[in-house]
Every structure is written in C-alpha cells, then in structure tokens.
C-alpha cells in the first residue's frame, strides 16, 4: 500500500487549518468508498459558517479514515458548522453500519495493512510482539494540517500510548 497520504492533501490550505479524523471500525468496500467520497465532496462544497462558505476539504484515506479539514484563515468555523460536519459523520455511520466515534479502537500499520486493536488489548499486543515500539500508530488526535502531515502516522514510542503500556527492555 502507498502510505504517502501527504500528496493527497490540498497544498493551498494553511498549516494551521483545522483537521478532524474519523476512523471507521472497518475497511470500506470500494463502492462504499466512492459513495463516501461523493458525500464528502458534496458536504464541503456546501459547508458554511454563519452563511459564509468554509474553505473545506474532505477525503477518505486508506479506505478507513475520513478526514475533514477547514482553512480558518479563509473563514472561521463556528459551532454550528462543526455540528453540521458531525451530522454528516453520523449519517455515514448509519448508512454504512460502522462506528466512527470509537476512540477506544486504535489503528496501526502492521504488515502493510491498517490493523485495528481495542485499547484494552494493547498491552497484550505489546507483550506478544504484535505491536512494537516502532510500529506505526495512527494518531487521530492531530488537530491541524501540519500535524496531519507530520504527526498522524508515528511510531508507538513517540505517541501518547507509551503512558498506557509497559515496553520490555
């Protein structure tokens, strides 16, 4: 799999553009992915904040991560416009019978695939070398375009997960 997602992000958005990442509880089928891309494109083309168009971007990365981005240098994103994006994500959850708000489900790059792991099983996965300190973790807590580009896929040892696990020396 080509992990170079940075080339798929818009170049004309400011580094401090706000980012929201929603991780699906499963990989979307190709037909679903195409439909979701259409939903995202339609949403961002009509996204408004207090009546003013939002400079927005939406995409599906690796068939499993919905990324929404708003360049607030163009238009600030209000609570109402954020709420509208959350409604879209909830609509996608219902349409495709997936979970997109489960922050207890972690994603890792293992054997060239996105692998999901419930947080309570993390230590067991580390103890059995399924997850190592160098395994890439999808840090869906990134908040800006710059963080998305540089801190989204990070080794476990460089993430907040180190506070949750004991790594053998």
């Amino acid at each position: 799999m080509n992990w170079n997602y940075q080339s798929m992000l818009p170049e004309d958005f400011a580094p401090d553009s706000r980012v929201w990442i929603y991780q699906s509880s499963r990989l979307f089928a190709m037909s679903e992915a195409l439909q979701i891309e259409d939903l995202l494109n339609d949403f961002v083309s009509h996204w408004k904040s207090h009546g003013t168009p939002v400079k927005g971007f939406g995409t599906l990365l690796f068939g499993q991560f919905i990324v929404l981005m708003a360049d607030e240098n163009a238009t600030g994103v209000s609570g109402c416009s954020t709420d509208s994006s959350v409604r879209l994500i909830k609509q996608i959850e219902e349409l495709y019978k997936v979970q997109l708000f489960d922050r207890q489900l972690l994603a890792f790059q293992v054997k060239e695939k996105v692998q999901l792991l419930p947080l309570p099983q993390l230590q067991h996965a580390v103890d059995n070398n399924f997850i190592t300190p160098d395994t890439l973790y999808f840090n869906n807590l990134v908040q800006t375009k710059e963080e998305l580009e540089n801190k989204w896929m990070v080794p476990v040892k460089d993430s907040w997960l180190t506070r949750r696990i004991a790594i053998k020396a």
Side-chain angles (χ1 to χ4, degrees):
M1 182 179 293
N2 179 3
W3 298 101
N4 181 19
Y5 64 92
Q6 294 92 337
S7 64
M8 295 182 250
L9 302 177
E11 293 181 15
D12 64 333
F13 277 57
D16 63 347
S17 294
R18 284 184 58 191
V19 167
W20 298 266
I21 299 176
Y22 300 92
Q23 172 186 297
S24 174
S25 54
R26 67 169 173 81
L27 183 68
F28 289 107
M30 183 61 73
S31 59
E32 293 173 324
L34 294 170
Q35 292 167 1
I36 290 168
E37 285 283 353
D38 286 344
L39 286 169
L40 294 171
N41 290 332
D42 184 61
F43 174 77
V44 297
S45 70
H46 297 97
W47 199 3
K48 292 193 179 352
S49 178
H50 298 293
T52 303
V54 171
K55 183 178 178 183
F57 170 78
T59 194
L60 180 65
L61 294 177
F62 309 128
Q64 201 147 358
F65 301 92
I66 294 173
V67 176
L68 288 175
M69 185 182 307
D71 188 340
E72 293 191 299
N73 292 317
T75 303
V77 176
S78 66
C80 292
S81 53
T82 302
D83 289 348
S84 68
S85 70
V86 170
R87 280 193 299 278
L88 168 71
I89 299 302
K90 287 183 177 185
Q91 175 189 1
I92 292 171
E93 273 189 325
E94 287 181 32
L95 281 170
Y96 300 101
K97 307 295 185 235
V98 295
Q99 294 177 9
L100 293 165
F101 292 95
D102 185 355
R103 299 292 186 205
Q104 295 286 305
L105 193 58
L106 308 174
F108 301 89
Q109 178 191 336
V110 178
K111 296 181 181 175
E112 291 300 308
K113 288 185 175 181
V114 175
Q115 298 288 339
L116 301 178
L117 181 71
L119 180 60
Q121 294 178 15
L122 179 61
Q123 187 61 56
H124 178 76
V126 169
D127 292 345
N128 290 282
N129 294 318
F130 175 70
I131 300 295
T132 70
D134 293 315
T135 300
L136 291 180
Y137 164 65
F138 291 88
N139 178 20
N140 296 324
L141 301 176
V142 297
Q143 296 181 4
T144 66
K145 179 186 178 204
E146 183 175 29
E147 288 179 353
L148 175 61
E149 290 172 331
N150 301 305
K151 297 180 181 178
W152 182 41
M153 292 177 66
V154 295
V156 168
K157 66 185 176 195
D158 296 335
S159 77
W160 66 271
L161 294 176
T162 58
R163 296 189 302 269
R164 300 294 303 257
I165 55 175
I167 299 174
K168 298 177 207 167

